[in-house]
Each structure stands twice: as structure tokens, then as C-alpha cells.
Amino acid sequence: MKILVTEGNPSGSKLAYKIIRDVNENGGKVFGFATGIAPEETYRLLRESDVDFTDKISINLDEYIGLSSDHNQSYHYFMNRHLFNEKPFKKSYLPDGMGDPEEVIREYDEILEENPIDLQILGIGVDGHIAFNEPGTSFDSTTHISYLDESTIKFNSQLFNSIDEVPRSAFTMGIKSIMDCKKIILLAFYESKAQAIYDTVLGPITEDVPASILQKHPDTTLILSKKSAKLLPENIITYVSDEEI
Ligand code: GLP
């Protein structure tokens, strides 16, 4: 695991943007995207760049169950607004939040099988979740329905009018599929993620902290802010100054 610590945003996002651009220029064909506040600035940099994705494929991590693609809190809507409207891909895949669960799951696993992900962007939940794989999810999981933890519902309610509007379940790519991605970048900038980051990097590899499995991934880079990295010892981090980015 490579741990890069920047001043915060926008520096960390600029670093992530540069990695995505390099992978795209060097033959990367399939990009895995996350939603959330952490990747927003990276997507803005991509939107405003000359990066061309028109012959590439994107696959998102997850989608709320019960929200249609035009609902303004759906991940379809988020991705269109933050990236795809301005940077279209040849094909963009997200699970259909209104679809028949069995079919959605089967189709998504087929899509992942046929399109190995070259670069996956991840965020992390306060409880250490990646995508919507909550604590306790099997490391062998593929696409499945996740029932969201209370802490996730509370955190994600920031973007809804009220906590009651937050869906209680979602389709999510599984941990096994995430581990199959060739390269992974995990973004965390908030201080509220510091404990989850500590557990991910230095804690035991356990299904209680889904992101801890990344310790076993051959090419994962964590891009952190000083705040989200505040519990990590100096000797395991690489500080990247604004001048270097
Ligand atoms: C949601 C998403 C996750 C994301 C997490 C953190 O739960 N399903 O994929 O990692 O939010 O979001 P943020 O980037 O806002 O910190």
C-alpha cells in the first residue's frame, strides 16, 4: 500500500486526476468510479481537462435501491452531473436501482467479468466500508444487495433533505470484484475518516473493516489529507507538497 499525504483538497484531487490521466494515456480501457464528496474535485478536474474517454468504459461501484436514474440523489444522477455529461464514455455502467435484483446482480457480475477494471477510484465510509460493502461483508463477495449501517445512513443523509429519505439498501460491487481491479486509488480527506484509515492501514485484516483487505492488494494508493492521516505514524507515509503536484 502506498500512502500519499497532501495538504488536503484540492491537492489530493489533483494527484488523483493526474493518475487517472496517466492510466488513460497509457492504455487503460476500463475505469471504476465512486460517488461521494471525496472524488468530486477530481471529477471537476477531469471535466475541465482535455482527457478523452470516448472509447473507454466506466463501471460504477454501487447504486441505491429504489431510486430511479433521474432521481437527484441517485448515483446515476451524480455521475452524469459530475462527469459523464461533459466527459462521455463509450459505455457507462451503473446498477439499475429500480431493476429486478436477481437480474441486476447477474448482469453486473457479467459486465465485471467481461471488462476487467484497470483503475478503480474508492472512497471510504466512517465504518471502513468500501463501495457499499459494510462491516461483516465476506471478502469473497461479488455483486450483492447491501443493507446500510446506521452510521452510513447518517453520514449520507447530508446530501438528502432528511434522514428518512436515505434508502436503506443498495446494489454494490463486492469486495472480491474490487480486489480484482488492477490498480486502486482510495481518497479520504475528512478528519472523520481518520480512524477508518488507521484501521485500514495498520489494523488486522478483518471483515469487520472491509477496507483492511486492501493491505493485500498489489497496487493500491491511498491519497489522504493531513487530517485523515493524522493517526498514521510519519515513517509509513509519503508527504507530497503542493509544489510537487
Ligand atoms: C458512500 C459510497 C461509498 C463512498 C462513501 C464515502 O457510502 N457508497 O462508495 O466511499 O460514501 O463518501 P465520501 O466520499 O463522501 O466521504
Side-chain angles (χ1 to χ4, degrees):
M1 233 184 221
K2 211 195 268 177
I3 303 167
L4 305 180
V5 179
T6 63
E7 280 304 310
N9 243 339
S11 328
S13 302
K14 207 166 157 197
L15 207 53
Y17 156 74
K18 285 187 163 178
I19 297 172
I20 297 170
R21 200 186 57 190
D22 286 352
V23 170
N24 191 46
E25 279 168 10
N26 290 306
K29 288 188 175 64
V30 184
F31 292 81
F33 290 124
T35 52
I37 299 161
E40 275 188 17
E41 174 67 8
T42 304
Y43 296 157
R44 188 186 68 78
L45 293 168
L46 286 171
R47 275 198 319 267
E48 293 176 1
S49 72
D50 58 1
V51 171
D52 180 12
F53 290 127
T54 50
D55 63 345
K56 306 296 169 92
I57 284 171
S58 76
I59 305 184
N60 260 74
L61 289 170
D62 43 20
E63 178 59 286
Y64 287 120
I65 290 180
L67 300 192
S68 62
S69 57
D70 57 358
H71 188 288
N72 65 9
Q73 293 305 337
S74 73
Y75 288 167
H76 279 80
Y77 188 93
F78 176 101
M79 288 309 299
N80 287 336
R81 184 157 90 91
H82 288 279
L83 193 60
F84 301 152
N85 286 346
E86 277 163 79
K87 285 286 165 197
F89 283 68
K90 185 168 78 183
K91 184 82 193 152
S92 284
Y93 295 105
L94 284 102
D96 176 3
M98 302 296 281
D100 169 69
E102 251 176 60
E103 244 170 72
V104 173
I105 290 168
R106 188 179 41 76
E107 274 177 18
Y108 223 60
D109 281 337
E110 273 169 26
I111 290 164
L112 288 164
E113 184 100 352
E114 282 161 21
N115 301 282
I117 296 177
D118 293 301
L119 172 63
Q120 175 65 54
I121 308 298
L122 290 180
I124 185 167
V126 282
D127 57 2
H129 74 241
I130 43 177
F132 265 134
N133 294 286
E134 295 285 21
T137 306
S138 164
F139 284 153
D140 293 327
S141 54
T142 50
T143 307
H144 61 280
I145 293 178
S146 157
Y147 297 92
L148 310 188
D149 278 8
E150 275 310 312
S151 64
T152 304
I153 293 169
K154 197 166 162 221
F155 188 85
N156 290 9
S157 69
Q158 294 177 86
L159 299 170
F160 286 78
N161 294 325
S162 85
I163 196 160
D164 298 331
E165 287 181 21
V166 185
R168 270 33 186 179
S169 58
F171 290 116
T172 184
M173 202 188 276
I175 307 246
K176 184 182 173 298
S177 315
I178 293 174
M179 288 299 281
D180 285 342
C181 300
K182 279 185 211 139
K183 188 178 181 67
I184 294 176
I185 302 176
L186 185 147
L187 304 174
F189 301 123
Y190 291 139
E191 199 164 354
S192 59
K193 306 290 169 91
Q195 186 62 48
I197 290 296
Y198 177 88
D199 294 342
T200 298
V201 177
L202 292 173
I205 299 176
T206 162
E207 288 174 353
D208 293 339
V209 180
S212 64
I213 191 68
L214 297 173
Q215 290 178 31
K216 284 195 177 170
H217 188 272
D219 187 1
T220 285
T221 302
L222 267 50
I223 299 182
L224 308 175
S225 64
K226 281 185 171 171
K227 286 180 181 166
S228 65
K230 71 173 191 181
L231 301 176
L232 300 181
E234 293 267 325
N235 62 331
I236 64 162
I237 65 168
T238 303
Y239 178 71
V240 189
S241 68
D242 284 357
E243 292 72 51
E244 291 171 85
I245 303 173

